[in-house]
Amino acid sequence: MNQSPNKTRSFPVLGATYMVAAGVVFAAINVLTQWVTGTYHFSSQALAFWQYGLSLVFFLPMLLKLGAGAFRTAHPVAHVVRVIFATLGVQFFVGALAAGVPIAQVVAIDMTSPFIVIVAARLILGEHIGPHRALATVVGFVGGMLILAPWSDSFSVYSLLPLGAAAMWAGSSVMTKQLAAVERPESVTVYLLALLTPINAAFLFTSTGFDAGAAFALPGGTVLWVIVALAALTAAAQYLLTLAYARADASYLQTFDNVRLPLNTLAGWLVFAYAPDGYLWVGALMIVGASLYLLRAETGKPVGTDPLPA
């Protein structure tokens, strides 16, 4: 990047593009996650550890190019807090997929996070929440609830796991926005992947009764290749998210994050024949429509960034 992060202006259209691209990659990640945990009964804790640990390897070429400067930061505490939020979100989310909760249902429940993000972005970042953003977010959330249909038989106790993920990732999103305003996207991504690994290792270690040999045995065969693919996709998705938050407000981007619901619903249907009953397509149309409405309402309006306090 040629410009220092704290001087870079945000461009909503570019930020939205990065967010939608990240959504496509995350849909592929979710399908692979549910397939490998369901087919091979691979534990969610082990998958999270290897997925995010190996994703750092795919980021090494850029890390070597950047040098030690990639780890230089004036906000180490903010990085740690962000990664704690993100790690807990990963554990809840992967746990839900491993339990067999349909991908569309998991993502729909996770979409309660816009309300948390909007409140947090206002309180912490001081972002302005205008009528366009408020309306688009509410419409997108209602669309998600129509697809979720909590009154149906498909809603189970495991569906509550993504609620925890929603809260944790909302906190992570706000911290990402703060860090993206003052640091390079590469640094933000490197810290996430580097700190996720030891925290995920702690979850894995305790889940296997503190048996290091059982906890950290690298799987082989098809499972290994799936984990490698997940690692590469995870590195790409996290970098796309960081680029998105570096160019637009967290509350503005949240509506475009809603597009991941129809993307994941389509992926789940193609791979697992998951076709939720009810108002699936009505809800998906509301989500996409809300995103397009917000894009039209705010196109051409550069959004400033708010740096972290020193």
Side-chain angles (χ1 to χ4, degrees), residues 190-251:
V190 164
Y191 266 101
L192 174 69
L193 298 178
L195 294 177
L196 268 174
T197 300
I199 299 176
N200 280 327
F203 278 100
L204 177 58
F205 194 46
T206 55
S207 71
T208 54
F210 301 98
D211 183 344
F216 302 112
L218 185 65
T222 302
V223 175
L224 177 59
W225 287 111
V226 172
I227 290 176
V228 170
L230 283 170
L233 291 170
T234 298
Q238 292 298 334
Y239 188 52
L240 286 168
L241 281 180
T242 303
L243 291 174
Y245 283 114
R247 287 160 174 79
D249 287 344
S251 53

Side-chain angles (χ1 to χ4, degrees), residues 51-85:
Q51 175 183 347
Y52 285 89
L54 292 178
S55 64
L56 185 59
V57 175
F58 286 95
F59 208 76
L60 282 179
M62 184 175 293
L63 180 60
L64 293 174
K65 180 180 179 181
L66 294 172
F71 287 96
R72 190 175 297 117
T73 178
H75 311 284
V77 175
H79 281 290
V80 172
V81 172
R82 175 197 177 219
V83 173
I84 290 174
F85 281 138

Side-chain angles (χ1 to χ4, degrees), residues 144-167:
M145 291 302 99
L146 287 176
I147 293 176
L148 172 61
W151 55 84
S152 68
D153 294 336
S154 63
F155 190 87
S156 68
V157 66
Y158 293 108
S159 299
L160 297 176
L161 288 174
L163 287 176

Side-chain angles (χ1 to χ4, degrees), residues 269-290:
W269 175 68
L270 291 175
V271 178
F272 303 109
Y274 289 151
D277 295 328
Y279 300 98
L280 169 63
W281 302 117
V282 175
L285 182 61
M286 291 176 67
I287 292 169
V288 175

Side-chain angles (χ1 to χ4, degrees), residues 3-238:
Q3 294 176 291
S4 60
N6 60 339
K7 293 182 180 179
T8 302
R9 299 292 291 177
S10 299
F11 298 95
V13 175
L14 188 57
T17 301
Y18 284 130
M19 181 61 76
V20 173
V24 173
V25 178
F26 276 122
I29 290 172
N30 292 339
V31 166
L32 286 175
T33 296
Q34 190 157 78
W35 180 75
V36 75
T37 54
T39 303
Y40 294 93
H41 305 290
F42 197 65
S43 77
S44 60
Q45 293 88 355
L47 183 63
F49 169 74
W50 288 112
Q51 175 183 347
Y52 285 89
L54 292 178
S55 64
L56 185 59
V57 175
F58 286 95
F59 208 76
L60 282 179
M62 184 175 293
L63 180 60
L64 293 174
K65 180 180 179 181
L66 294 172
F71 287 96
R72 190 175 297 117
T73 178
H75 311 284
V77 175
H79 281 290
V80 172
V81 172
R82 175 197 177 219
V83 173
I84 290 174
F85 281 138
T87 304
L88 291 173
V90 167
Q91 291 292 330
F92 285 131
F93 196 86
V94 175
L97 291 174
V101 181
I103 293 175
Q105 187 173 346
V106 172
V107 174
I109 297 172
D110 181 56
M111 283 175 57
T112 58
S113 62
F115 290 104
I116 305 172
V117 169
I118 286 177
V119 173
R122 174 58 182 166
L123 295 177
I124 298 175
L125 303 182
E127 292 184 2
H128 174 67
I129 308 301
H132 294 304
R133 296 180 184 182
L135 176 60
T137 301
V138 170
V139 171
F141 177 75
V142 171
M145 291 302 99
L146 287 176
I147 293 176
L148 172 61
W151 55 84
S152 68
D153 294 336
S154 63
F155 190 87
S156 68
V157 66
Y158 293 108
S159 299
L160 297 176
L161 288 174
L163 287 176
M168 294 302 102
W169 282 340
S172 179
S173 294
V174 173
M175 296 306 300
T176 299
K177 174 59 181 177
Q178 284 189 303
L179 288 166
V182 294
E183 300 198 357
R184 290 177 296 181
E186 295 83 359
S187 296
V188 177
T189 305
V190 164
Y191 266 101
L192 174 69
L193 298 178
L195 294 177
L196 268 174
T197 300
I199 299 176
N200 280 327
F203 278 100
L204 177 58
F205 194 46
T206 55
S207 71
T208 54
F210 301 98
D211 183 344
F216 302 112
L218 185 65
T222 302
V223 175
L224 177 59
W225 287 111
V226 172
I227 290 176
V228 170
L230 283 170
L233 291 170
T234 298
Q238 292 298 334

